[in-house]
Amino acid sequence: MFHSPIVPRVRKRSRAAEVGIPGREEVKFEDVRLFLVERKMGRSRRSFLTQLARSKGFIVEDVLSDVVTHVVSEDIHTSSLWTWLKECDLKNLTHMLVLDISWFTDSMREGRPVAVETKHLIQDTLPEASTPTAVVSVSQYACQRRTTTENNNKTFTDAFEVLAERYELNEIEGPCLAFRRAASVLKSLPWAVRSLGATQDLPCLGEHTKSVMEEILQNGRSFEVERILSDERFQTLKLFTSVFGVGPKTADKWYRRGLRSFNDVLADSSIQLNRMQQSGFLHYEDISRAVSKAEARALRNIIDKAVHAITPDAVLALTGGFRRGKEFGHDVDFIVTTPEPGEEETLIPKVINRLTKQGILLYTEYQASTFDMSKLPCHRFEAMDHFAKCFLILRLEGSQVEGGLHIAEGDSRGWRAVRVDLVAPPMDRYAFALLGWTGSRQFERDLRRYARMERQMLLDNHALYDKTKKELLAATTEKDIFAHLGLEYIEPWQRNA
Ligand code: CTP
Ligand code: MN
Ligand code: MN
């Protein structure tokens, strides 16, 4: 049934104290960290079983913490065990395997962690549990999974991303989304997939996905992915769409015209670049370079000063990838608003004004608000929201960045260009905008899909509409929205789906 995704790796553990063992045992199964529950087992039996497991190369933790992967118990009273586990205040509880002693004895007999089967699982039967099988079952919805920036399956997800991009560039939506979903499921796993068997209970993995995984497991790479990466059209479209303001349609048009490089494009007199594309080419080196956390913080200071000079009670929030805890991003996203209804609409033009006067605005594209509360709910999904917003390129001075700029070696300009997005929703739409702009895109897609499919509700960056009750639901925080949807709250840093 449930296969343990573990391949033994032998390594001498030098810091034995770390796992609380006297130095000699060799750790054979680094990815398995056991915790034996003392209640019912008793202290002396627990101590005996601990020694036994350690002598066979298992790591046994003395205390229950988030590093534990396998909790082993002899307690047959499921509910009291689970009540106790929940009181331990673990972040990671839904990712832990809570196992009956039979799994432990089987593993000791085999001398390795045996595959976890349903019969081994002690499942939570408490009424407040979201689903009884939450311990091991992975939801098909990203908004029911916790996905940190730590990706244990990067080889697979990188390959899926290439495949998804290939379909996206060819405007084939279905398979594109399928690969994105599959990648998202694998990103949520606290373990690395080491065999196809380990994936059999995972959702969203189709035939094609699995065959790619099988290839990677066998050969370390996928022939199909390599073929795409070396394909001239793919390479050229990727290059062209990497320019700010160039989408797949324009890229394809240029490709069909026989253009293959930036020089080809810039030398073609029949091509009229729009303002955005001109800036895209002008600042290409800078804006295709990742923005660091320190740079995002520096920009936050700049925007913070600007909005507060304009409206002292303005609210500013960092959103997008940096709010999810990413170390680097392609831009920096902010939400700004004020408590005075209507005033938020003038906020962005005023900020733009100020940045212009400071001489740090390199490019701006402003979109005035087209938001109309009376037109809610919007039935079109994935479309941009209607709030006032702007897409900027700002000049960031190195002196303002703690630890300095993230620039190429030998770059002595002392500044760089950075992409910044600002969005200004009215205060009563703040929670929806914050949730919508925090991402990830896959997380957002699945929140909306979940609302629609499971709750008969419509969610977007503006509002949440209950189709059954025929009413808009109010929310002042993201937690309110999760609660309306009947979802467990997922922290921003767990939304890297
Ligand atoms: N978004 C949106 N409407 C837009 C642009 C973006 O709702 N017009 C949302 C996206 O759904 C995404 C979030 O805003 O969830 C941030 O978008 P983006 O900056 O493109 O992505 P990040 O997740 O921040 O990734 P990166 O770190 O690369 O910037
Ligand atoms: Mn971003
Ligand atoms: Mn953005």
Side-chain angles (χ1 to χ4, degrees), residues 265-293:
V265 174
L266 297 171
D268 190 325
S269 59
S270 65
I271 287 181
Q272 277 285 326
L273 296 176
N274 64 29
R275 219 169 47 86
M276 198 183 234
Q277 293 160 349
Q278 285 172 25
S279 305
F281 277 111
L282 188 60
H283 302 292
Y284 184 78
E285 289 302 327
D286 271 347
I287 60 185
S288 56
R289 192 173 188 86
V291 185
S292 71
K293 228 183 213 177

mmCIF file of all heavy atoms in Angstrom, residues 265-293:
data_model
loop_
_atom_site.group_PDB
_atom_site.id
_atom_site.type_symbol
_atom_site.label_atom_id
_atom_site.label_comp_id
_atom_site.label_asym_id
_atom_site.label_seq_id
_atom_site.Cartn_x
_atom_site.Cartn_y
_atom_site.Cartn_z
ATOM 1 N N VAL A 265 15.996 40.717 -33.366
ATOM 2 C CA VAL A 265 14.783 41.484 -33.079
ATOM 3 C C VAL A 265 15.075 42.983 -33.163
ATOM 4 O O VAL A 265 14.363 43.737 -33.826
ATOM 5 C CB VAL A 265 14.226 41.134 -31.674
ATOM 6 C CG1 VAL A 265 13.044 42.032 -31.314
ATOM 7 C CG2 VAL A 265 13.817 39.666 -31.601
ATOM 8 N N LEU A 266 16.156 43.376 -32.512
ATOM 9 C CA LEU A 266 16.463 44.809 -32.442
ATOM 10 C C LEU A 266 16.872 45.376 -33.804
ATOM 11 O O LEU A 266 16.699 46.562 -34.072
ATOM 12 C CB LEU A 266 17.557 45.062 -31.391
ATOM 13 C CG LEU A 266 17.136 44.680 -29.957
ATOM 14 C CD1 LEU A 266 18.321 44.755 -29.002
ATOM 15 C CD2 LEU A 266 15.991 45.568 -29.456
ATOM 16 N N ALA A 267 17.386 44.476 -34.703
ATOM 17 C CA ALA A 267 17.819 44.950 -36.025
ATOM 18 C C ALA A 267 16.674 44.952 -37.038
ATOM 19 O O ALA A 267 16.812 45.480 -38.135
ATOM 20 C CB ALA A 267 18.955 44.065 -36.529
ATOM 21 N N ASP A 268 15.539 44.351 -36.673
ATOM 22 C CA ASP A 268 14.416 44.252 -37.611
ATOM 23 C C ASP A 268 13.604 45.549 -37.576
ATOM 24 O O ASP A 268 12.879 45.826 -36.614
ATOM 25 C CB ASP A 268 13.534 43.051 -37.227
ATOM 26 C CG ASP A 268 12.489 42.749 -38.287
ATOM 27 O OD1 ASP A 268 11.985 43.700 -38.920
ATOM 28 O OD2 ASP A 268 12.172 41.564 -38.478
ATOM 29 N N SER A 269 13.718 46.328 -38.628
ATOM 30 C CA SER A 269 13.090 47.662 -38.618
ATOM 31 C C SER A 269 11.574 47.586 -38.699
ATOM 32 O O SER A 269 10.886 48.561 -38.395
ATOM 33 C CB SER A 269 13.635 48.489 -39.777
ATOM 34 O OG SER A 269 13.353 47.794 -40.986
ATOM 35 N N SER A 270 11.037 46.426 -39.079
ATOM 36 C CA SER A 270 9.571 46.339 -39.172
ATOM 37 C C SER A 270 8.928 46.052 -37.809
ATOM 38 O O SER A 270 7.712 46.058 -37.678
ATOM 39 C CB SER A 270 9.176 45.254 -40.175
ATOM 40 O OG SER A 270 9.597 43.996 -39.685
ATOM 41 N N ILE A 271 9.773 45.798 -36.811
ATOM 42 C CA ILE A 271 9.221 45.522 -35.482
ATOM 43 C C ILE A 271 9.132 46.800 -34.660
ATOM 44 O O ILE A 271 10.108 47.522 -34.500
ATOM 45 C CB ILE A 271 10.074 44.462 -34.738
ATOM 46 C CG1 ILE A 271 9.837 43.093 -35.369
ATOM 47 C CG2 ILE A 271 9.713 44.416 -33.245
ATOM 48 C CD1 ILE A 271 10.595 41.980 -34.729
ATOM 49 N N GLN A 272 7.933 47.073 -34.174
ATOM 50 C CA GLN A 272 7.704 48.236 -33.312
ATOM 51 C C GLN A 272 7.603 47.735 -31.875
ATOM 52 O O GLN A 272 6.610 47.137 -31.494
ATOM 53 C CB GLN A 272 6.367 48.890 -33.694
ATOM 54 C CG GLN A 272 6.445 49.829 -34.881
ATOM 55 C CD GLN A 272 7.107 51.153 -34.507
ATOM 56 O OE1 GLN A 272 6.952 51.632 -33.396
ATOM 57 N NE2 GLN A 272 7.852 51.730 -35.437
ATOM 58 N N LEU A 273 8.620 47.959 -31.096
ATOM 59 C CA LEU A 273 8.551 47.540 -29.693
ATOM 60 C C LEU A 273 7.677 48.533 -28.931
ATOM 61 O O LEU A 273 7.793 49.742 -29.148
ATOM 62 C CB LEU A 273 9.944 47.527 -29.072
ATOM 63 C CG LEU A 273 10.964 46.550 -29.644
ATOM 64 C CD1 LEU A 273 12.309 46.749 -28.954
ATOM 65 C CD2 LEU A 273 10.496 45.105 -29.478
ATOM 66 N N ASN A 274 6.817 48.017 -28.055
ATOM 67 C CA ASN A 274 6.055 48.952 -27.224
ATOM 68 C C ASN A 274 6.940 49.436 -26.073
ATOM 69 O O ASN A 274 8.055 48.954 -25.878
ATOM 70 C CB ASN A 274 4.727 48.329 -26.744
ATOM 71 C CG ASN A 274 4.938 47.124 -25.838
ATOM 72 O OD1 ASN A 274 5.938 47.034 -25.130
ATOM 73 N ND2 ASN A 274 3.996 46.194 -25.850
ATOM 74 N N ARG A 275 6.407 50.365 -25.278
ATOM 75 C CA ARG A 275 7.198 50.996 -24.230
ATOM 76 C C ARG A 275 7.727 49.972 -23.217
ATOM 77 O O ARG A 275 8.863 50.011 -22.779
ATOM 78 C CB ARG A 275 6.308 52.021 -23.517
ATOM 79 C CG ARG A 275 6.999 53.315 -23.137
ATOM 80 C CD ARG A 275 5.975 54.344 -22.688
ATOM 81 N NE ARG A 275 5.009 53.800 -21.730
ATOM 82 C CZ ARG A 275 5.203 53.751 -20.413
ATOM 83 N NH1 ARG A 275 6.308 54.211 -19.903
ATOM 84 N NH2 ARG A 275 4.283 53.235 -19.622
ATOM 85 N N MET A 276 6.852 49.022 -22.876
ATOM 86 C CA MET A 276 7.221 47.993 -21.907
ATOM 87 C C MET A 276 8.381 47.149 -22.443
ATOM 88 O O MET A 276 9.355 46.878 -21.737
ATOM 89 C CB MET A 276 5.997 47.114 -21.640
ATOM 90 C CG MET A 276 6.054 46.298 -20.385
ATOM 91 S SD MET A 276 4.584 45.242 -20.271
ATOM 92 C CE MET A 276 3.953 45.666 -18.683
ATOM 93 N N GLN A 277 8.270 46.743 -23.714
ATOM 94 C CA GLN A 277 9.319 45.919 -24.316
ATOM 95 C C GLN A 277 10.638 46.695 -24.437
ATOM 96 O O GLN A 277 11.709 46.136 -24.228
ATOM 97 C CB GLN A 277 8.851 45.414 -25.689
ATOM 98 C CG GLN A 277 7.687 44.436 -25.573
ATOM 99 C CD GLN A 277 6.896 44.276 -26.859
ATOM 100 O OE1 GLN A 277 7.068 45.041 -27.815
ATOM 101 N NE2 GLN A 277 6.011 43.285 -26.890
ATOM 102 N N GLN A 278 10.523 47.973 -24.765
ATOM 103 C CA GLN A 278 11.741 48.793 -24.854
ATOM 104 C C GLN A 278 12.483 48.791 -23.516
ATOM 105 O O GLN A 278 13.690 48.595 -23.459
ATOM 106 C CB GLN A 278 11.389 50.233 -25.243
ATOM 107 C CG GLN A 278 11.034 50.389 -26.705
ATOM 108 C CD GLN A 278 10.502 51.791 -27.011
ATOM 109 O OE1 GLN A 278 10.806 52.748 -26.313
ATOM 110 N NE2 GLN A 278 9.708 51.896 -28.065
ATOM 111 N N SER A 279 11.709 48.988 -22.439
ATOM 112 C CA SER A 279 12.337 48.942 -21.105
ATOM 113 C C SER A 279 12.841 47.550 -20.801
ATOM 114 O O SER A 279 13.866 47.393 -20.146
ATOM 115 C CB SER A 279 11.342 49.315 -20.010
ATOM 116 O OG SER A 279 10.790 50.540 -20.274
ATOM 117 N N GLY A 280 12.098 46.559 -21.259
ATOM 118 C CA GLY A 280 12.492 45.165 -21.054
ATOM 119 C C GLY A 280 13.877 44.902 -21.629
ATOM 120 O O GLY A 280 14.723 44.271 -20.981
ATOM 121 N N PHE A 281 14.110 45.389 -22.849
ATOM 122 C CA PHE A 281 15.426 45.208 -23.474
ATOM 123 C C PHE A 281 16.489 46.073 -22.798
ATOM 124 O O PHE A 281 17.586 45.624 -22.534
ATOM 125 C CB PHE A 281 15.362 45.522 -24.978
ATOM 126 C CG PHE A 281 14.860 44.356 -25.788
ATOM 127 C CD1 PHE A 281 13.622 44.398 -26.414
ATOM 128 C CD2 PHE A 281 15.625 43.206 -25.912
ATOM 129 C CE1 PHE A 281 13.154 43.320 -27.159
ATOM 130 C CE2 PHE A 281 15.175 42.112 -26.650
ATOM 131 C CZ PHE A 281 13.924 42.167 -27.279
ATOM 132 N N LEU A 282 16.095 47.324 -22.505
ATOM 133 C CA LEU A 282 17.035 48.263 -21.902
ATOM 134 C C LEU A 282 17.605 47.739 -20.575
ATOM 135 O O LEU A 282 18.786 47.835 -20.302
ATOM 136 C CB LEU A 282 16.319 49.606 -21.675
ATOM 137 C CG LEU A 282 17.168 50.784 -21.219
ATOM 138 C CD1 LEU A 282 18.251 51.088 -22.260
ATOM 139 C CD2 LEU A 282 16.286 52.014 -20.995
ATOM 140 N N HIS A 283 16.716 47.159 -19.750
ATOM 141 C CA HIS A 283 17.143 46.701 -18.417
ATOM 142 C C HIS A 283 17.235 45.182 -18.344
ATOM 143 O O HIS A 283 17.120 44.611 -17.268
ATOM 144 C CB HIS A 283 16.167 47.215 -17.360
ATOM 145 C CG HIS A 283 16.037 48.696 -17.339
ATOM 146 N ND1 HIS A 283 17.062 49.524 -16.938
ATOM 147 C CD2 HIS A 283 15.018 49.509 -17.703
ATOM 148 C CE1 HIS A 283 16.670 50.786 -17.050
ATOM 149 N NE2 HIS A 283 15.435 50.802 -17.512
ATOM 150 N N TYR A 284 17.417 44.556 -19.506
ATOM 151 C CA TYR A 284 17.330 43.089 -19.539
ATOM 152 C C TYR A 284 18.232 42.397 -18.511
ATOM 153 O O TYR A 284 17.775 41.555 -17.749
ATOM 154 C CB TYR A 284 17.639 42.558 -20.950
ATOM 155 C CG TYR A 284 17.462 41.063 -21.017
ATOM 156 C CD1 TYR A 284 16.193 40.508 -21.103
ATOM 157 C CD2 TYR A 284 18.560 40.199 -20.947
ATOM 158 C CE1 TYR A 284 16.013 39.132 -21.120
ATOM 159 C CE2 TYR A 284 18.392 38.832 -20.965
ATOM 160 C CZ TYR A 284 17.115 38.296 -21.054
ATOM 161 O OH TYR A 284 16.939 36.943 -21.055
ATOM 162 N N GLU A 285 19.503 42.765 -18.495
ATOM 163 C CA GLU A 285 20.451 42.093 -17.591
ATOM 164 C C GLU A 285 19.983 42.181 -16.139
ATOM 165 O O GLU A 285 19.981 41.196 -15.411
ATOM 166 C CB GLU A 285 21.854 42.712 -17.716
ATOM 167 C CG GLU A 285 22.566 42.400 -19.021
ATOM 168 C CD GLU A 285 22.730 40.901 -19.259
ATOM 169 O OE1 GLU A 285 22.894 40.153 -18.269
ATOM 170 O OE2 GLU A 285 22.675 40.482 -20.433
ATOM 171 N N ASP A 286 19.572 43.387 -15.744
ATOM 172 C CA ASP A 286 19.163 43.594 -14.357
ATOM 173 C C ASP A 286 17.888 42.850 -14.002
ATOM 174 O O ASP A 286 17.823 42.141 -12.999
ATOM 175 C CB ASP A 286 18.942 45.094 -14.085
ATOM 176 C CG ASP A 286 20.227 45.781 -13.632
ATOM 177 O OD1 ASP A 286 21.187 45.060 -13.294
ATOM 178 O OD2 ASP A 286 20.249 47.023 -13.619
ATOM 179 N N ILE A 287 16.860 42.999 -14.838
ATOM 180 C CA ILE A 287 15.588 42.415 -14.389
ATOM 181 C C ILE A 287 15.476 40.919 -14.659
ATOM 182 O O ILE A 287 14.570 40.273 -14.160
ATOM 183 C CB ILE A 287 14.339 43.198 -14.872
ATOM 184 C CG1 ILE A 287 14.255 43.250 -16.375
ATOM 185 C CG2 ILE A 287 14.295 44.597 -14.291
ATOM 186 C CD1 ILE A 287 13.105 44.127 -16.852
ATOM 187 N N SER A 288 16.429 40.350 -15.402
ATOM 188 C CA SER A 288 16.398 38.890 -15.504
ATOM 189 C C SER A 288 17.253 38.276 -14.388
ATOM 190 O O SER A 288 17.339 37.064 -14.246
ATOM 191 C CB SER A 288 16.870 38.416 -16.886
ATOM 192 O OG SER A 288 18.146 38.928 -17.162
ATOM 193 N N ARG A 289 17.843 39.136 -13.606
ATOM 194 C CA ARG A 289 18.638 38.680 -12.468
ATOM 195 C C ARG A 289 17.758 38.657 -11.219
ATOM 196 O O ARG A 289 16.992 39.580 -10.978
ATOM 197 C CB ARG A 289 19.781 39.676 -12.265
ATOM 198 C CG ARG A 289 20.813 39.195 -11.330
ATOM 199 C CD ARG A 289 21.989 40.143 -11.309
ATOM 200 N NE ARG A 289 23.023 39.517 -10.530
ATOM 201 C CZ ARG A 289 23.912 38.666 -11.020
ATOM 202 N NH1 ARG A 289 23.927 38.389 -12.292
ATOM 203 N NH2 ARG A 289 24.799 38.102 -10.235
ATOM 204 N N ALA A 290 17.834 37.581 -10.441
ATOM 205 C CA ALA A 290 16.969 37.437 -9.268
ATOM 206 C C ALA A 290 17.140 38.582 -8.274
ATOM 207 O O ALA A 290 18.233 39.129 -8.121
ATOM 208 C CB ALA A 290 17.261 36.110 -8.574
ATOM 209 N N VAL A 291 16.045 38.945 -7.634
ATOM 210 C CA VAL A 291 16.047 39.965 -6.586
ATOM 211 C C VAL A 291 16.240 39.244 -5.254
ATOM 212 O O VAL A 291 15.589 38.224 -4.999
ATOM 213 C CB VAL A 291 14.689 40.709 -6.551
ATOM 214 C CG1 VAL A 291 14.723 41.854 -5.544
ATOM 215 C CG2 VAL A 291 14.310 41.213 -7.927
ATOM 216 N N SER A 292 17.135 39.760 -4.411
ATOM 217 C CA SER A 292 17.376 39.100 -3.123
ATOM 218 C C SER A 292 16.420 39.629 -2.058
ATOM 219 O O SER A 292 15.792 40.671 -2.225
ATOM 220 C CB SER A 292 18.816 39.340 -2.680
ATOM 221 O OG SER A 292 18.960 40.698 -2.292
ATOM 222 N N LYS A 293 16.349 38.892 -0.950
ATOM 223 C CA LYS A 293 15.522 39.289 0.188
ATOM 224 C C LYS A 293 15.950 40.659 0.713
ATOM 225 O O LYS A 293 15.117 41.495 1.045
ATOM 226 C CB LYS A 293 15.721 38.257 1.307
ATOM 227 C CG LYS A 293 14.449 37.751 1.912
ATOM 228 C CD LYS A 293 14.792 36.796 3.040
ATOM 229 C CE LYS A 293 13.745 35.702 3.132
ATOM 230 N NZ LYS A 293 14.035 34.709 4.152
#
